[in-house]
């Protein structure tokens, strides 16, 4: 079976029915080395095809049980129980100290790539399987549970750097054809890809106010990646999609220089800026101390100062997630296709 994608062969069709077609039951097996496969499985990842993955977000289950929703639900009206958290590729070109993922275990680039149709079909099928188990819980909202079996959002942000997947624009298109909105979260190191993708909302992480801090905090694979990030910020300024710049702030690393961040953000003129505290989770606990997490009050103070520098409005905040939202305009509208 070949998995090299041909753009002209991608059919247009509706959301896959519950009785998924045999084509999507015969997914290719992962080519990850056994030790990496076991590592990701222990972390709750479910491998899709040869190089993609899905992991049920903790907020999906909480939403079904009436115990809250992701901050994206409060900010952008995303339904947590209907959101697929996925990636088309587990590899990354940075090794960020604050990342909760196992960046110490790099993933090789595959010789052949799964098609967007295979990945999207596999993700929807796997998400349905994962959410089906919530139906038997006594505290499950049965209406939300049934809704969860028909996902409406795809967060292309689970792990790795999605712009390294060579058919990301077509992957986004395929999700849209299936009736799902899309969030793409990128580190900004592939400006050529950023220029041509058209997700419902495009996130770019900005993890440093200057090159020296970036290299220390993110350990990029190539020396010119900071220059690529600067180019991506300029690309975003003229991008037709909704744009959000996300800062993940870590004490002792990049929690500094509001003016420096503001100067860079002005290059992009995004619709939104999310300012979030580093959270002491996953593999980041091996690299950073717990006190590297800013308090929510510190995030609010930093965000307020950044808002004044940018002329943006403080739109919302979620204390549990230690995140605040700045908006270019006073009104924040829901994400749509």
């Amino acid at each position: 079976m070949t998995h090299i994608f041909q753009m002209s062969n991608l059919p247009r069709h509706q959301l896959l029915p519950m009785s998924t077609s045999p084509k999507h039951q015969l997914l290719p097996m992962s080519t990850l080395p056994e030790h990496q496969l076991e590592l990701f499985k222990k972390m709750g990842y479910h491998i899709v095809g040869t190089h993609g993955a899905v992991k049920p977000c903790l907020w999906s289950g909480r939403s079904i049980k009436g115990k809250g929703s992701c901050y994206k639900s409060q900010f952008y009206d995303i339904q947590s129980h209907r959101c697929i958290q996925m990636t088309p590729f587990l590899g990354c070109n940075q090794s960020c100290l604050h990342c909760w993922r196992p960046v110490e275990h790099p993933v090789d680039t595959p010789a052949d790539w799964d098609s967007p149709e295979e990945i999207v079909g596999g993700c929807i099928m796997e998400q349905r399987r994962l959410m089906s188990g919530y139906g038997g819980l006594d505290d499950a909202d049965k209406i939300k549970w049934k809704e969860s079996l028909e996902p409406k959002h795809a967060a292309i942000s689970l792990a790795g750097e999605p712009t390294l997947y060579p058919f990301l624009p077509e992957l986004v298109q395929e999700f849209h054809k299936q009736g799902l909105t899309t969030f793409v979260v990128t580190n900004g190191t592939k400006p050529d890809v950023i220029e041509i993708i058209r997700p419902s909302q495009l996130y770019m992480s900005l993890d440093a106010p200057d090159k020296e801090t970036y290299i220390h905090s993110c350990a990029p694979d190539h020396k010119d990646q900071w220059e690529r990030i600067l180019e991506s910020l300029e690309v975003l300024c003229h991008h037709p999609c909704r744009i959000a710049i996300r800062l993940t702030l870590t004490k002792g690393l990049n929690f500094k220089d509001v003016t420096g961040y503001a100067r860079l953000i002005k290059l992009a003129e995004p619709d939104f800026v999310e300012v979030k505290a580093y959270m002491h989770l996953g593999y980041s606990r091996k690299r950073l101390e717990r006190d590297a997490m800013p308090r929510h009050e510190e995030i609010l103070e930093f965000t307020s100062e950044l808002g004044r520098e940018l002329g943006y409005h403080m739109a919302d905040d979620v204390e549990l997630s230690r995140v605040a939202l700045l908006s270019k305009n006073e009104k924040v509208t829901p994400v749509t296709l």
Side-chain angles (χ1 to χ4, degrees), residues 81-145:
H81 61 290
R82 304 186 76 178
C83 185
I84 299 174
Q85 182 182 223
M86 62 79 62
T87 183
F89 178 47
L90 289 159
C92 192
N93 56 0
Q94 295 183 168
S95 298
C96 300
L97 293 174
H98 64 267
C99 186
W100 54 267
R101 302 165 183 89
V103 297
E104 293 83 359
H105 303 274
V107 175
D108 292 335
T109 301
D112 293 326
W113 294 97
D114 298 340
S115 73
E117 185 183 13
E118 286 177 308
I119 295 174
V120 171
C123 285
I124 292 174
M125 182 174 68
E126 189 65 12
Q127 181 77 0
R128 286 172 173 162
R129 186 184 71 80
L130 293 168
M131 302 313 293
S132 65
Y134 286 95
L137 299 179
D138 293 336
D139 57 350
D141 181 320
K142 301 304 180 184
I143 294 177
K144 282 190 172 183
W145 170 66

Side-chain angles (χ1 to χ4, degrees), residues 60 63 150 213 217 249 254:
S60 297
S63 177
E150 297 293 339
T213 303
S217 300
L249 299 178
N254 64 351

Side-chain angles (χ1 to χ4, degrees), residues 10 15 19 27 40 43 66 75 83 86 117 135 140 150 153 163 169 181 203 232 249 266 293 299-300:
L10 186 62
L15 184 67
S19 56
L27 292 171
F40 285 118
M43 295 179 65
F75 288 177
C83 185
M86 62 79 62
E117 185 183 13
E150 297 293 339
H153 315 288
T163 59
T181 64
Y203 272 91
S232 291
L249 299 178
K266 286 176 182 178
M293 290 191 298
I299 290 297
L300 290 178

Side-chain angles (χ1 to χ4, degrees), residues 28-321:
M29 298 297 291
S30 172
T31 56
L32 288 172
E34 190 62 30
H35 73 281
Q36 287 187 340
L37 194 60
E38 289 304 312
L39 175 68
F40 285 118
K41 285 181 177 179
K42 285 180 181 179
M43 295 179 65
Y45 289 53
H46 297 258
I47 305 302
V48 173
T50 63
H51 50 71
V54 171
K55 181 179 180 180
C57 174
L58 65 88
W59 290 112
S60 297
R62 289 184 181 179
S63 177
I64 290 175
K65 293 184 285 187
K67 296 182 178 179
S69 297
C70 170
Y71 69 86
K72 293 185 182 68
S73 174
Q74 182 170 317
F75 288 177
Y76 312 116
D77 201 31
I78 293 296
Q79 297 172 283
S80 297
H81 61 290
R82 304 186 76 178
C83 185
I84 299 174
Q85 182 182 223
M86 62 79 62
T87 183
F89 178 47
L90 289 159
C92 192
N93 56 0
Q94 295 183 168
S95 298
C96 300
L97 293 174
H98 64 267
C99 186
W100 54 267
R101 302 165 183 89
V103 297
E104 293 83 359
H105 303 274
V107 175
D108 292 335
T109 301
D112 293 326
W113 294 97
D114 298 340
S115 73
E117 185 183 13
E118 286 177 308
I119 295 174
V120 171
C123 285
I124 292 174
M125 182 174 68
E126 189 65 12
Q127 181 77 0
R128 286 172 173 162
R129 186 184 71 80
L130 293 168
M131 302 313 293
S132 65
Y134 286 95
L137 299 179
D138 293 336
D139 57 350
D141 181 320
K142 301 304 180 184
I143 294 177
K144 282 190 172 183
W145 170 66
K146 289 180 180 179
E147 288 178 343
S148 75
L149 302 177
E150 297 293 339
K152 296 298 292 181
H153 315 288
I156 307 174
S157 63
L158 171 61
E161 171 50 40
T163 59
L164 298 179
Y165 174 59
F167 306 113
L168 182 62
E170 293 79 18
L171 182 83
V172 170
Q173 291 173 12
E174 180 64 13
F175 271 122
H176 290 179
K177 289 175 184 177
Q178 299 287 357
L180 283 74
T181 64
T182 52
F183 280 70
V184 170
V185 181
T186 175
N187 60 23
T189 57
K190 298 279 285 184
D192 56 327
V193 178
I194 289 173
E195 190 167 15
I196 61 175
I197 56 176
R198 297 293 184 267
S200 306
Q201 183 158 310
L202 176 55
Y203 272 91
M204 179 175 148
S205 296
L206 183 62
D207 294 317
D210 58 75
K211 184 173 183 177
E212 182 180 357
T213 303
Y214 167 70
I215 292 173
H216 177 60
S217 300
C218 298
D221 286 357
H222 301 287
K223 294 180 180 179
D224 68 342
Q225 286 182 196
W226 177 251
E227 284 68 32
R228 295 185 205 170
I229 288 170
L230 298 180
E231 183 180 345
S232 291
L233 290 170
E234 294 180 349
V235 166
L236 291 179
C237 184
H238 306 288
H239 206 285
C241 291
R242 283 168 57 119
I243 304 297
I245 297 293
R246 184 173 67 182
L247 280 57
T248 301
L249 299 178
T250 306
K251 286 186 174 180
L253 285 177
N254 64 351
F255 188 26
K256 61 180 181 179
D257 193 6
V258 173
T259 300
Y261 279 110
R263 182 175 60 253
L264 295 176
I265 293 169
K266 286 176 182 178
L267 296 175
E269 297 185 12
D271 300 286
F272 311 106
V273 180
E274 288 184 11
V275 182
K276 193 176 187 313
Y278 154 71
M279 304 302 280
H280 195 60
L281 300 170
Y283 275 72
S284 74
R285 294 174 296 178
K286 299 175 181 292
R287 313 178 205 110
L288 298 168
E289 299 296 328
R290 187 174 182 81
D291 59 10
M293 290 191 298
R295 301 189 310 276
H296 187 58
E297 295 78 10
E298 293 174 310
I299 290 297
L300 290 178
E301 182 179 351
F302 190 100
T303 306
S304 295
E305 188 175 348
L306 182 62
R308 288 192 293 272
E309 292 264 0
L310 294 171
Y312 279 38
H313 306 272
M314 177 75 84
D316 210 343
D317 71 280
V318 176
E319 184 173 2
L320 182 61
S321 298

